[in-house]
Amino acid sequence: MLFNDIKSLSHNELREFLSGNGHKPYRADQIRVWIFKQMMQSYEGLNVPAELCELLESKFRLKSLSEETKMESSDGTIKWLYKTSDGMPVETVMIPTETRASVCVSTQSGCAMGCAFCRTGRMGLNRSLEAGEILEQIINVHKYFLREAQDRTVTNVIFMGMGEPLANLDAVHRACVCLHDQKAFSMGKGRLTISTSGFAPKIAELLERSTPCQLAVSLVAADNETRESLMPINKTWNLSELLKAVDNYLELSGEWVTFEYILIKNKTCTPAAAKNLIRIVKPRRCKINAIVLNGNENSELEAPSEQEVDEFLRIVRAENVQINIRNPRGRDILAACGQLASTSSNKVAI
Ligand code: SF4
């Protein structure tokens, strides 16, 4: 096993590691309670034989991320910037509502996908994260709520921070299994959402692995030419390949899929774009989450006017297509969709 962080190991792998090193496998339960229920971030005080504690300490980290900055938006959204033990930036965003606290986690440091509307895309990819580094982002939010005596808990996890989750599927799968595990985070599958930019061949793998999650697809645009200009991944897997993978997922899973759509002036927020979107979503079991573009300083893309958005929604809704407009959260701290780029500046980009 090549993991540096003990949280990356599955329950069975930890049992095998223990028995392979002459220790009782049942200790795995005790160690996992320490990590995932008590959320301890050091082995000190773990009630196991001293030589086992030393072995764990010598083989696996229990804490992989160190906090660099924490920024709070006027709407209550909080963004943390962490550094991994090898100095890679990772951002986590917590989005509170009255009844929920959703955590948007990063699955990679940076991203190789290069989407035109996204600050992370301009960073390039540093490296993929281990499952333990993904899980630690959620543990840190739990610990923040405890520390601040806030009567809250993490209700939803969205794999939509830095990185393309399906380009790091093994770690993302491990994280989902642990989040769903009753002996760890005990979160229902409906509370875990993996959002892909369109990594079509890996969508089927979610079903093959029985990854406990919901699927969201960043459609962003509904015709190949526009999508390709915004998302280079469309050159590798175009809309018809992506939709074939989505249809296969819908048929085999019996679930719904969420399409994320970004409203961009003169590109995706026009009457013609609305008709293209209707053609894609009407025959499918899906819902659309639309968001008005979060502008950033290096992009020429513009947000549409309110009238353009209203007209777009009118056309789509006239066809009885369900479309929700999500309010952007954390814009003032660059925590909204497409704005994560390891900045500690709170300069507003739009
Ligand atoms: S939108 Fe997602 S997939 Fe595209 S560059 Fe940004 S982080 Fe990567």
Side-chain angles (χ1 to χ4, degrees), residues 111 113-115 117-118 120-121 161 163 197:
C111 184
M113 296 299 150
C115 302
F117 49 85
C118 175
T120 313
S197 61

Side-chain angles (χ1 to χ4, degrees), residues 80-299:
W80 288 268
L81 168 64
Y82 298 104
K83 282 263 154 75
T84 61
S85 53
D86 55 346
M88 299 298 157
V90 171
E91 289 186 330
T92 310
V93 179
M94 189 280 295
I95 307 139
T97 64
E98 246 172 59
T99 52
R100 287 180 177 194
S102 301
V103 178
C104 182
V105 291
S106 295
T107 55
Q108 299 181 304
S109 171
C111 184
M113 296 299 150
C115 302
F117 49 85
C118 175
R119 289 169 59 95
T120 313
R122 271 193 288 281
M123 286 172 68
L125 175 66
N126 292 317
R127 71 165 171 84
S128 287
L129 301 183
E130 273 192 29
E133 292 169 318
I134 298 171
L135 290 167
E136 192 164 318
Q137 296 172 59
I138 299 144
I139 287 175
N140 286 345
V141 178
H142 274 288
K143 289 178 85 73
Y144 164 78
F145 287 148
L146 280 175
R147 218 170 36 239
E148 298 292 309
Q150 287 198 17
D151 190 18
R152 276 187 178 273
T153 187
V154 174
T155 59
N156 296 69
V157 175
I158 314 157
F159 294 79
M160 204 189 195
M162 287 180 168
E164 162 53 57
L166 297 189
N168 187 19
L169 181 52
D170 186 65
V172 168
H173 170 79
R174 284 171 180 274
C176 282
V177 169
C178 185
L179 290 167
H180 189 53
D181 183 355
Q182 291 206 336
K183 290 187 173 162
F185 293 86
S186 198
M187 296 182 76
K189 133 179 196 179
R191 295 178 178 274
L192 311 174
T193 304
I194 293 179
S195 174
T196 179
S197 61
F199 214 113
K202 292 279 177 179
I203 291 177
E205 214 177 306
L206 285 173
L207 294 175
E208 285 155 22
R209 287 172 176 258
S210 301
T211 307
C213 68
Q214 306 288 306
L215 177 66
V217 174
S218 293
L219 190 66
V220 176
D223 70 280
N224 273 318
E225 196 184 325
T226 312
R227 196 165 190 272
E228 203 166 300
S229 72
L230 297 168
M231 304 178 83
I233 196 170
N234 200 74
K235 292 179 193 150
T236 312
W237 298 291
N238 64 21
L239 271 174
S240 82
E241 286 163 287
L242 175 58
L243 293 172
K244 210 158 111 193
V246 168
D247 287 342
N248 181 50
Y249 178 91
L250 288 170
E251 192 185 327
L252 297 178
S253 68
E255 304 273 353
W256 285 59
V257 165
T258 301
F259 285 117
E260 313 280 354
Y261 191 84
I262 304 185
L263 294 163
I264 306 172
K265 190 177 183 68
N266 297 334
K267 285 194 172 275
T268 61
C269 191
T270 63
K275 285 179 190 136
N276 286 332
L277 181 62
I278 291 162
R279 261 197 298 278
I280 288 181
V281 299
K282 213 168 173 191
R284 296 184 166 85
R285 209 167 48 249
C286 62
K287 60 178 181 177
I288 316 166
N289 278 342
I291 190 158
V292 175
L293 176 77
N294 286 309
N296 63 60
E297 71 271 27
N298 296 319
S299 173

